[in-house]
Amino acid sequence: MIRVVVADDHTVVREGLSALIASEPDLQVVAAVDSGEAAVDAAAELTPDVVLMDLAMPGIGGIEATAQIT
């Protein structure tokens, strides 16, 4: 099972991507978050295999969040 965190500040995008990912039998959405800070926290706590990150979000944003996660 591939564990995924979805990070996007737009609710409809975040929920849509989460639903699509969850419909695949070998993928599991372990968190869907709305900010870079929440993505960093979720990645640290849940250790997902993949983080699907929006690059332009309020706060630290996707680029900085990705740098902190890696």
Side-chain angles (χ1 to χ4, degrees), residues 4-8 13-14 17-18 21 29 31-34 50-52:
V4 181
V5 169
V6 177
D8 197 298
V13 173
R14 185 175 62 251
L17 287 171
S18 294
I21 292 167
V29 177
V33 299
D34 63 356
V50 176
V51 177
L52 184 58

Side-chain angles (χ1 to χ4, degrees), residues 16-54:
L17 287 171
S18 294
L20 284 171
I21 292 167
S23 72
E24 293 297 319
D26 57 341
L27 300 176
Q28 176 187 19
V29 177
V30 293
V33 299
D34 63 356
S35 69
E37 293 88 350
V40 171
D41 292 343
E45 180 181 335
L46 301 169
T47 60
D49 301 301
V50 176
V51 177
L52 184 58
M53 182 80 70
D54 179 5

